[in-house]
Amino acid sequence: MAAQFGRRLRRGATSTAVVAVAVAALAASQAPAATSQDSAVGDPAAAGTDTDAGDGGATGNSPYHTDLPPLVTPDKPGTSVDLPATGTTEAGIPATVLDAYKKAEREVGRTDAACRLPWQLLAAIGKVESGQARGGKVDANGTTFSPILGPVLDGQGFALIKDTDGGAYDGDATHDRAVGPMQFIPSTWEVWGQDGNGDGRKDPNNIYDAALAAGRYLCAGGRDLVVAADLDRAVLSYNHSQEYLRTVRSWFDFYNRGTHEVPDGTGVLPSGTGAGSSPSPTPTPTPTPSPSGSTGTKPKPKPTPTPTPSKPGGGTSPTPEPSKPTEPTTPPTTPKPPRTLGSIENAGTPALTATAGEAFAGRVAVKARDTLGAPLAEAEITFTLTGGTDARFAGGASTVTVPTGADGIATAPVLTAGEKTGAFTVTAVAGTPRPRTLTFAAQVSARQADALTRTGDEALTAAPGATFAQVEVRATYKGEGLAGTAVTATLVTDGATPTENDEGPYFKGADGEVLRTLTGLRTGDDGVLELPAVHADDTEGTYTLRLTTDSGVTLTVQLTVTAPPAA
């Protein structure tokens, strides 16, 4: 039902009083005590009055169900996490319909967590609008077996909305009709329609699509639906009527106290007029009895006079013929969805790792979406570096602000690592007063040698029992000497899988013991390492000295033990 058509919803003092008394009885019987946040419910000053909102609404002014929930708590109260298997008949929600509400809650929570949309609110509106898609008469994909259509909005007992969709949704190319289990008018669906089941279509007669669209609509304008006043405003934006608000609120409270899943097609349909039914005909006035002595002919009721409209821009027009209904000069407009920030997400940021003193290969990228999930341009994203390193954005800044482009993406400037190694974070923040935040882990690693070479090229030869010439190597990174590089020296056997040799050249330990592996060796400031003396034993032959850095770079050096020629 549309907010702009609240006039039709004034059903008279008796009807409204009955609903109010029933709601009061429901609250008095077992509803939880109202909190300070709930005090606005039903308060015209806080939630609005039963008048024309003038700014559009989600649905057309078709009839809605005014049935209230039973004045008993469901047999086995449950929650959205742990639903009971059974309960009162009215507490049952058809399986596919219930799944659609929960899926919509999760999706809206992913893109607009600040709204805190409860699926029970969607269930309450779905109950009032269409009796849970006519008791769950939907196929496996969630589409109703036949379209759910409200009455023709031709101005005859309802508002006048001329066709806006060429009959694409409602089959009427002259006037609009509310469509689907959540009763969207076509012009509103064109703006807010969603693809909730991922089939590539936005179908108002599909409960997954309609539930997600309703959720987005209720969350518009930065509402937090845990706050009672925001929840009331959301329901009233759907249909600006206090009676509607009270009815939805009653079912919302009922479903919050417990519900359960029932098979599709077995849900309980409310009594009375509902979506897809024809409007109730206006009762014929009872004629006044004939006066005594008359012929007994019943007088015809007099038609209701038609008011004389004013000309747009001033003055009055000639009095129209009584038979012609008055029409507004322009159809009611549908509100455009507010372009407000709903969420931010990672837009393909790679792993943030770099070597000290170098630029990171990838850049941090964030995508902003509005409350409908569409890309949001010109949203300001602030990127901040925190942690113990001296990494900086281009220009030396640790905080930068970048607006999103037409695709909703903001990319931070190039990030360069400093000399301090370790972990830090890049935080992306957008939006006020409830900021959306994303954090990215980053790591600066120490430089590691990419080459290890001898500083000399002379052959290393020694006689049995003698000492080889000094062995000196240099560790480098991109051609520059790398200080502090750890090196392990091992005398190994030949073959495909070398192991420590148990004969041939050796190092001496502190106590003169034979060692063929040395660890803990490190290069100096210039990247140069002078190995301890290498001694030859009495076994002649060619041997291999293997040097390995902590980064895995390996160098092998040939050592030859041979006796000098005879004199």
Side-chain angles (χ1 to χ4, degrees):
M1 313 238 242
Q4 66 264 38
F5 310 129
R7 290 185 298 272
R8 189 189 64 79
L9 303 176
R10 300 192 197 100
R11 287 182 165 79
T14 301
S15 172
T16 303
V18 169
V19 173
V21 169
V23 173
L26 175 67
S29 60
Q30 70 271 323
T35 64
S36 59
Q37 285 186 335
D38 292 327
S39 60
V41 179
D43 178 3
T49 59
D50 193 3
T51 59
D52 190 337
D55 59 354
T59 67
N61 72 330
S62 55
Y64 63 84
H65 299 294
T66 58
D67 291 20
L68 292 173
L71 299 178
V72 292
T73 303
D75 294 342
K76 296 183 179 180
T79 68
S80 60
V81 176
D82 182 21
L83 295 176
T86 61
T88 64
T89 304
E90 283 287 359
I93 299 178
T96 300
V97 178
L98 180 60
D99 183 60
Y101 296 150
K102 289 184 172 183
K103 186 174 181 180
E105 178 193 63
R106 292 192 299 270
E107 178 60 20
V108 173
R110 185 183 67 83
T111 59
D112 188 9
C115 176
R116 297 192 283 183
L117 170 73
W119 67 260
Q120 291 89 343
L121 180 59
L122 296 176
I125 291 176
K127 178 70 171 179
V128 173
E129 292 291 347
S130 68
Q132 310 298 20
R134 292 180 179 149
K137 292 182 179 179
V138 296
D139 62 20
N141 293 320
T143 303
T144 57
F145 292 121
S146 60
I148 299 178
L149 299 175
V152 178
L153 301 177
D154 58 2
Q156 302 300 312
F158 299 95
L160 172 65
I161 302 182
K162 293 184 178 180
D163 177 66
T164 61
D165 65 331
Y169 295 121
D170 56 14
D172 190 329
T174 304
H175 297 92
D176 271 346
R177 303 176 70 175
V179 182
M182 303 305 276
Q183 286 290 277
F184 280 90
I185 59 173
S187 58
T188 307
W189 181 261
E190 193 62 32
V191 176
W192 293 88
Q194 301 287 309
D195 177 14
N197 61 352
D199 64 357
R201 299 176 62 239
K202 297 178 181 179
D203 182 0
N205 279 299
N206 181 278
I207 186 60
Y208 287 99
D209 297 358
L212 182 56
R216 301 272 191 223
Y217 187 94
L218 293 166
C219 286
R223 297 187 185 104
D224 180 356
L225 299 182
V226 170
V227 177
D230 276 7
L231 187 144
D232 287 353
R233 277 190 286 270
V235 175
L236 288 169
S237 76
Y238 215 87
N239 182 334
H240 200 83
S241 160
Q242 287 298 313
E243 181 181 344
Y244 184 83
L245 173 62
R246 286 190 290 268
T247 307
V248 169
R249 267 288 198 169
S250 297
W251 282 107
F252 177 59
D253 293 341
F254 182 73
Y255 288 138
N256 270 318
R257 293 198 301 278
T259 185
H260 60 280
E261 179 184 298
V262 298
D264 289 344
T266 64
V268 177
L269 278 172
S271 61
T273 308
S277 62
S278 300
S280 301
T282 303
T284 302
T286 302
T288 305
S290 301
S292 176
S294 68
T295 59
T297 303
K298 299 180 180 179
K300 295 181 181 180
K302 295 180 180 180
T304 303
T306 303
T308 302
S310 298
K311 287 182 179 179
T316 59
S317 61
T319 303
E321 297 179 8
S323 60
K324 294 182 180 180
T326 302
E327 296 184 2
T329 56
T330 57
T333 58
T334 300
K336 297 296 182 182
R339 299 289 290 168
T340 55
L341 180 68
S343 64
I344 58 175
E345 60 190 45
N346 187 351
T349 303
L352 298 176
T353 58
T355 301
E358 297 186 357
F360 285 76
R363 296 163 67 181
V364 180
V366 170
K367 186 168 188 174
R369 295 186 183 275
D370 63 17
T371 52
L372 290 176
L376 181 63
E378 299 182 4
E380 291 192 342
I381 311 293
T382 299
F383 300 94
T384 303
L385 307 178
T386 55
T389 73
D390 51 356
R392 293 292 182 268
F393 291 115
S398 59
T399 299
V400 294
T401 299
V402 180
T404 57
D407 58 358
I409 295 177
T411 303
V414 173
L415 184 60
T416 302
E419 294 301 318
K420 295 180 180 180
T421 61
F424 68 99
T425 59
V426 183
T427 303
V429 179
T432 56
R434 296 191 291 270
R436 277 64 166 173
T437 302
L438 280 179
T439 58
F440 301 87
Q443 182 75 38
V444 177
S445 302
R447 298 180 182 88
Q448 293 185 319
D450 56 16
L452 186 65
T453 58
R454 280 187 64 198
T455 58
D457 57 2
E458 69 277 12
L460 296 172
T461 303
T467 301
F468 289 90
Q470 182 70 52
V471 179
E472 185 178 271
V473 296
R474 184 169 183 254
T476 57
Y477 175 71
K478 295 187 175 181
E480 298 291 331
L482 188 61
T485 301
V487 178
T488 297
T490 306
L491 290 153
V492 297
T493 60
D494 294 328
T497 55
T499 59
E500 184 181 271
N501 210 331
D502 59 0
E503 61 179 7
Y506 60 91
F507 301 105
K508 286 185 178 180
D511 297 327
E513 69 273 21
V514 173
L515 299 174
R516 289 191 168 86
T517 298
L518 291 180
T519 59
L521 305 173
R522 288 192 176 273
T523 61
D525 292 341
D526 54 359
V528 174
L529 169 65
E530 293 182 355
L531 268 68
V534 183
H535 304 274
D537 65 1
D538 295 335
T539 307
E540 296 184 10
T542 300
Y543 299 91
T544 301
L545 172 62
R546 185 179 65 190
L547 304 167
T548 305
T549 70
D550 53 358
S551 59
V553 177
T554 300
L555 170 67
T556 57
V557 179
Q558 297 299 312
L559 303 174
T560 303
V561 179
T562 181

